[in-house]
Structures are given as structure tokens and as C-alpha cells.
């Protein structure tokens, strides 16, 4: 399951992120989670948790559809919040810096 989620995340994360970035209040955490999940030094259990949350973010079918104003990303944020709290110690400063660098260069 981890390799299937990883392949899906690698393929679909950036296109989905670019489509919704301007409406995503938790983008920095989401991107840091992405970099942590794909970091070779991140333990397998932490990768599995983060990849599951990232796969949920990119799924085309949501519990709360993303196009619903104000609520659309609430379920994605909740799933990500739970995942990050479980593996917080593995999200390193360099993951957060890469997320900030991306957001600084992104044209929203």
C-alpha cells in the first residue's frame, strides 16, 4: 500500500496543489509533509502515515468536496493535522524550509 500511495502522491500532488494553492490555508504544512514523506531518512511508519494523508488530499472524491466555499478543505486539513501530529518529530527544519521556498516562489 505504501508504494501505491507513494506513486500516486508523486504523480498527482503538484498538479492538485497548483490548482488549489490560492485557497489552501495549510499549504506550508502540506508541502512540508510531502517533502518529509519522500525523504529517504524518514522512517517507514512515518512515511506511511504521511503518504496516506497526502493521498487523501489528492483524491478526486472527498467527504467534503473541495469546491464548497469555506468547508471544502476542512476534511483534508483534519486528516493532515492528525497525520502531522503523529509524526511531527520526523518533519525536519529542511522540509519546512523547502516548503517555504516553494511558497515564496509560487505565483498564486
Amino acid at each position: 500500500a505504501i508504494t501505491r500511495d507513494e506513486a500516486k502522491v508523486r504523480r498527482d500532488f503538484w498538479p492538485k496543489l497548483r490548482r488549489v494553492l490560492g485557497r489552501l490555508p495549510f499549504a506550508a504544512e502540506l508541502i512540508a509533509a510531502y517533502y518529509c514523506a519522500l525523504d529517504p531518512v524518514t522512517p517507514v511508519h512515518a512515511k506511511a502515515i504521511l503518504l496516506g494523508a497526502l493521498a487523501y488530499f489528492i483524491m478526486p472524491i472527498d467527504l467534503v468536496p473541495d469546491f464548497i466555499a469555506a468547508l471544502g478543505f476542512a476534511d483534508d486539513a483534519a486528516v493532515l493535522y492528525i497525520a502531522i501530529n503523529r509524526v511531527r518529530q520526523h518533519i525536519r527544519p529542511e522540509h519546512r524550509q523547502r516548503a517555504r521556498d516553494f511558497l515564496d516562489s509560487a505565483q498564486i
Side-chain angles (χ1 to χ4, degrees):
I2 191 170
T3 55
R4 183 181 57 222
D5 282 349
E6 184 173 345
K8 183 169 188 53
V9 167
R10 284 183 185 276
R11 182 186 65 237
D12 298 337
F13 177 79
W14 293 109
K16 167 85 181 248
L17 180 69
R18 285 186 174 92
R19 281 193 312 274
V20 300
L21 188 58
R23 303 180 318 221
L24 207 60
F26 54 93
E29 287 295 303
L30 182 68
I31 298 166
Y34 173 86
Y35 286 126
C36 181
L38 299 182
D39 189 332
V41 302
T42 300
V44 173
H45 77 279
K47 284 180 182 267
I49 290 168
L50 292 172
L51 286 170
L54 293 166
Y56 184 84
F57 167 72
I58 61 176
M59 283 181 12
I61 298 171
D62 259 331
L63 291 176
V64 179
D66 294 340
F67 63 84
I68 296 176
L71 293 177
F73 292 107
D75 58 327
D76 299 279
V79 168
L80 183 66
Y81 175 79
I82 292 166
I84 286 175
N85 278 333
R86 297 275 316 272
V87 300
R88 183 168 299 284
Q89 69 274 19
H90 300 294
I91 300 176
R92 299 192 329 260
E94 28 311 359
H95 302 138
R96 294 190 186 287
Q97 185 59 53
R98 287 182 73 188
R100 280 191 299 274
D101 291 347
F102 172 83
L103 290 171
D104 288 347
S105 69
Q107 296 182 357
I108 301 172

